[in-house]
Every structure is written in structure tokens, then in C-alpha cells.
Amino acid sequence: LGMEGVPIISNKMKFDDSGKLVGFENKTIHIMNKGAVALEGGNLELVKDKSNVILLGDSLGDLRMADGLPNKQHVLKIGFLNDKIEERKE
């Protein structure tokens, strides 16, 4: 599909042989640490020269996840509305 060279930074789940979630690879990215933990280790090397970013999230805090990327020029932000749907439609 032409996805080589397209890094994906996300939580990666680990499952046992029965399909039960048993943990996560690496540190878990959550609402309080998205900017810091997501780019630790080799992740920053994967994205430091990228100028285009597709950002997916389900909270207002997710909107700023790409702020620390040094060479970003274009950021497409896609949000998921998971709760309080009727009151947040506007």
C-alpha cells in the first residue's frame, strides 16, 4: 500500500494466545503524557524530518500532540466523538 517510510506512533497492545489483552509494548501513551512519552526513544528519530502529519485523537488535548515536531508544515487533525455526543455536536 505504499506505507513504507510512514511511521505510526501509537499504543501497541500485546495479546496472549487466547486473544486476551495482557499489556502494551513500550510505555503507554495517555492524556497526561502524549507529547513527552510518544517521542521518547527512537520515535523522535522516525518523525523528526517529517513535514506532514496526520493526527488522530479523541480529546481536545490531542490537538496539540504534533506541537513538538521540529519540521512539521502541514497537520491534518481528525477527532473522534466518543461521548456526550448530543451536547458536543456544535
Side-chain angles (χ1 to χ4, degrees):
L1 293 173
M3 295 297 292
E4 56 278 340
V6 179
I8 297 174
I9 299 173
S10 68
N11 289 323
K12 295 179 178 84
M13 296 181 263
K14 294 191 301 187
F15 299 92
D16 65 15
D17 292 336
S18 69
K20 179 181 176 184
L21 176 66
V22 294
F24 293 90
E25 294 179 24
N26 306 316
K27 293 183 182 177
T28 305
I29 302 168
H30 56 79
I31 194 165
M32 299 304 289
N33 69 1
K34 287 182 180 177
V37 169
L39 294 178
E40 282 182 358
N43 285 338
L44 182 56
E45 282 300 310
L46 291 172
V47 299
K48 70 177 184 172
D49 296 325
K50 303 292 184 189
S51 59
N52 300 313
V53 176
I54 299 174
L55 185 71
L56 306 172
D58 64 355
S59 72
L60 291 175
D62 295 341
L63 296 172
R64 304 191 62 88
M65 286 191 295
D67 286 357
L69 297 176
N71 294 308
K72 73 176 183 306
Q73 294 178 12
H74 308 282
V75 181
L76 173 62
K77 299 176 182 181
I78 301 170
F80 299 99
L81 185 55
N82 294 325
D83 63 345
K84 300 180 185 175
I85 295 168
E86 289 304 316
E87 75 182 61
R88 293 180 173 167
K89 276 187 176 175
E90 295 181 28

